[in-house]
Amino acid sequence: MLATLGFVGFVALVVGLIHFYLWRRLVRDTTRPGRWRRVGAVAALLLALLVPATMAGTQAGWYWLAWPGYLWLALMFYLLVVLLVLEVPMLVTRLALRRRVTAAEPAAAAPEPVLVGAAGTAEPPAAVAVDQPDHDPSRRLLLARGAAIFAGLTAAGVTGYGVRNAMGPPHLDRVQIPLAKLPRGMDGLRIATVSDIHLGPLRGREHTERIVAMINRLDADLVAVVGDMVDGSVAELGNAAAPLRDLRSRYGSFFVTGNHEYYSGVEEWVREVDRLGLRVLQNVRQEIRTPGGVLDLAGVNDVSAAGTGLAAPADYAAALGDRDPGRPVVLLAHQPIAAVEAAKFGVDLQLSGHTHGGQIVPFNLAVKLEQPVVSGLGEVDGTKVYVTNGAGFWGPPVRVGANPQVTLVELRTP
């Protein structure tokens, strides 16, 4: 309980600081004291409250909050990024203006000469044009407004592009991965892989139908759904997930849990997915027998299960121990970080998701701090790891630099 309260407090502090910064750059620096500055302060406060309200409200079923709340979250992020990038040129410009003012001040302050006429009387000096420095804050105001307009247009443009990308159909990624132990007769075995469908407040049955139709057109040998299928209960999203029963493959469709299943009623979803005809691999492996040979397909519960008490934690020994080491083994594990343990059991290939490919550039740079592979094919301690970007999104309906994706993995002999 204390840990949860501490996390909520930390998030509230970060959101508050971000909005304070946005208020300074977009409201205080661009307006003079008065009504419009007060209006901007109220708007900043309301938008700051919208972020936690959206996260809590969508969990309580107030789905009407999802679009405005998550769109603002994305716009807020890109406003922050653009304004931070502008800080350096803005500082240089302000310093340059200040130096011009300082250099002009001695000339402006120099005493004017007194002219003496022919009769010996003092005459007023002729008008002399002096380049007086501009002490009026209008220059700073103009500079701040220009930066605010640029940041606003850039953030809105990037966010709009990201919404279109996220809400569009997944892209198909085809990848060939050689496995040293793969029998010659299994060369070309194809696994349609999808993760992070994220059915929830913003994506429903139509999203699932589109993914199923796309996978079925691939005519794959296996289908692997590697976690984070839902963001809600079976009662809320059972109808949205129902088209999964139409998945077609030669040797079966398989599922492993992701961290979001543990937020959404994992036991109910395991039963529901099984009812829809997908084999749920919970720390077990399955022999895939084909006319050309045999392959072990294993699956482990998500690494987050250990702290929930809702299901058994990831058990690599149960899924991978006591097997024929001469067979190739493909492991389904939601998070790429699972490969650190999987490599100890000689896993040939791990298929994962979870990262969304970063979902929103430059957030992908932060994902690298947590996961060994963010997107595409990599290697961890001798185990090949392929990470698909996922077919959906979490939070903001925005994808920038990481297209939604369904992947056809083709296994090849060296």
Side-chain angles (χ1 to χ4, degrees), residues 162-180:
V163 170
R164 181 180 178 182
N165 199 24
M167 299 302 291
H171 293 228
L172 176 62
D173 185 39
R174 296 176 183 267
V175 59
Q176 294 185 345
I177 303 177
L179 298 184

Side-chain angles (χ1 to χ4, degrees), residues 199 204-213 216 229 237-248 272 275-278:
L199 299 174
R205 186 183 179 100
E206 183 180 351
H207 181 49
T208 314
E209 290 173 343
R210 183 163 59 182
I211 292 170
V212 169
N216 286 345
M229 186 178 75
L237 299 173
N239 181 61
L244 291 172
R245 68 164 60 94
D246 298 325
L247 283 170
R248 296 193 304 269
E272 181 67 9
R275 188 182 71 81
L276 293 174
L278 285 76

Side-chain angles (χ1 to χ4, degrees), residues 99-163:
R99 289 185 64 181
R100 286 184 58 188
V101 169
T102 303
E105 280 176 352
E112 296 181 355
V114 177
L115 301 179
V116 179
T121 58
E123 295 183 359
V128 179
V130 178
D131 184 16
Q132 296 287 343
D134 184 6
H135 293 286
D136 187 10
S138 59
R139 286 187 179 181
R140 294 197 303 273
L141 190 64
L142 182 63
L143 183 64
R145 287 176 176 173
I149 291 170
F150 178 80
L153 291 176
T154 303
V158 173
T159 300
Y161 162 79
V163 170

Side-chain angles (χ1 to χ4, degrees), residues 38-307:
R38 291 193 295 272
V39 170
V42 172
L45 177 61
L46 293 176
L47 289 170
L49 294 174
L50 178 61
V51 174
T54 299
M55 293 181 174
T58 52
Q59 293 292 320
W62 300 349
Y63 292 157
W64 57 271
L65 279 169
W67 271 108
Y70 285 127
L71 273 179
W72 167 245
L73 190 62
L75 191 59
M76 177 200 79
F77 175 74
Y78 278 114
L79 281 170
L80 176 65
V81 170
V82 176
L83 286 170
L84 288 175
V85 170
L86 288 176
E87 286 290 346
V88 172
M90 287 282 288
L91 177 61
V92 171
T93 304
R94 286 195 295 267
L95 290 175
L97 289 174
R98 187 176 300 173
R99 289 185 64 181
R100 286 184 58 188
V101 169
T102 303
E105 280 176 352
E112 296 181 355
V114 177
L115 301 179
V116 179
T121 58
E123 295 183 359
V128 179
V130 178
D131 184 16
Q132 296 287 343
D134 184 6
H135 293 286
D136 187 10
S138 59
R139 286 187 179 181
R140 294 197 303 273
L141 190 64
L142 182 63
L143 183 64
R145 287 176 176 173
I149 291 170
F150 178 80
L153 291 176
T154 303
V158 173
T159 300
Y161 162 79
V163 170
R164 181 180 178 182
N165 199 24
M167 299 302 291
H171 293 228
L172 176 62
D173 185 39
R174 296 176 183 267
V175 59
Q176 294 185 345
I177 303 177
L179 298 184
K181 299 177 184 176
L182 189 70
R184 290 284 179 185
M186 297 185 75
D187 183 54
L189 185 83
R190 300 184 303 163
I191 306 174
T193 306
V194 64
S195 75
D196 301 279
I197 297 172
H198 282 293
L199 299 174
L202 300 179
R203 302 310 295 261
R205 186 183 179 100
E206 183 180 351
H207 181 49
T208 314
E209 290 173 343
R210 183 163 59 182
I211 292 170
V212 169
M214 184 175 182
I215 290 175
N216 286 345
R217 286 195 296 270
L218 299 176
D219 192 29
D221 299 296
L222 296 165
V223 173
V225 182
V226 286
D228 278 10
M229 186 178 75
V230 292
D231 284 305
S233 67
V234 173
E236 295 168 324
L237 299 173
N239 181 61
L244 291 172
R245 68 164 60 94
D246 298 325
L247 283 170
R248 296 193 304 269
S249 61
R250 289 183 179 82
Y251 305 113
S253 299
F254 299 87
F255 175 82
V256 291
T257 57
N259 54 307
H260 281 248
E261 272 70 56
Y262 294 94
Y263 313 148
S264 306
V266 64
E267 294 177 351
E268 284 188 338
W269 274 113
V270 165
R271 290 194 294 269
E272 181 67 9
V273 170
D274 184 70
R275 188 182 71 81
L276 293 174
L278 285 76
R279 170 82 190 278
V280 183
L281 299 178
Q282 292 188 284
N283 300 327
V284 296
R285 68 178 178 272
Q286 171 82 42
E287 287 186 351
I288 305 299
R289 292 190 170 273
T290 75
V294 182
L295 173 145
D296 283 335
L297 183 69
V300 291
N301 290 342
D302 184 61
V303 296
S304 66

Side-chain angles (χ1 to χ4, degrees), residues 17-47:
L17 290 174
I18 290 174
H19 282 79
F20 177 71
Y21 172 76
L22 295 181
W23 170 79
R24 282 178 62 94
R25 290 291 177 258
L26 300 178
V27 179
R28 194 198 69 169
D29 291 355
T30 62
T31 60
R32 293 185 171 91
R35 182 180 63 179
W36 289 112
R37 183 174 288 186
R38 291 193 295 272
V39 170
V42 172
L45 177 61
L46 293 176
L47 289 170

